Amino acid sequence: MVYEALYTKWGRYHGSRCTCGQDWVQAHALPAGFRVVREGNGFVALVGPGLTVGVDEDHLTVAALWAAVTGEASGKTWPERVRIVER
């Protein structure tokens, strides 16, 4: 399952919680074990640990990415809609 993260949205989350001054993907997502599978048009497509924890057919949770990018544990099951893309 691939999560397409909006760069500006996640950049805001990162910038308001971290003072590293680096790109959130390079500084936090990659070291946490996420992998970039596609980039462009303001989005980065990620795969990695925790993106499918508790997943159902309609939602996935981004709590693991939240923890990696912000340094804060996510006590909530924050869902994102799943979009099916035919290959």
Side-chain angles (χ1 to χ4, degrees), residues 13-83:
Y13 297 152
H14 175 246
S16 67
R17 292 167 174 81
C18 182
T19 60
C20 75
Q22 298 179 51
D23 173 76
W24 64 269
V25 173
Q26 299 299 318
H28 302 289
L30 296 181
F34 294 93
R35 184 169 53 95
V36 174
V37 293
R38 186 175 57 250
E39 268 184 283
N41 299 324
F43 288 87
V44 58
L46 301 168
V47 294
L51 287 180
T52 57
V53 171
V55 73
D56 63 29
E57 292 180 0
D58 297 315
H59 297 90
L60 61 99
T61 182
V62 292
L65 185 60
W66 175 268
V69 171
T70 67
E72 299 174 354
S74 176
K76 53 192 173 287
T77 55
W78 174 21
E80 293 272 356
R81 297 284 312 159
V82 170
R83 185 172 49 117

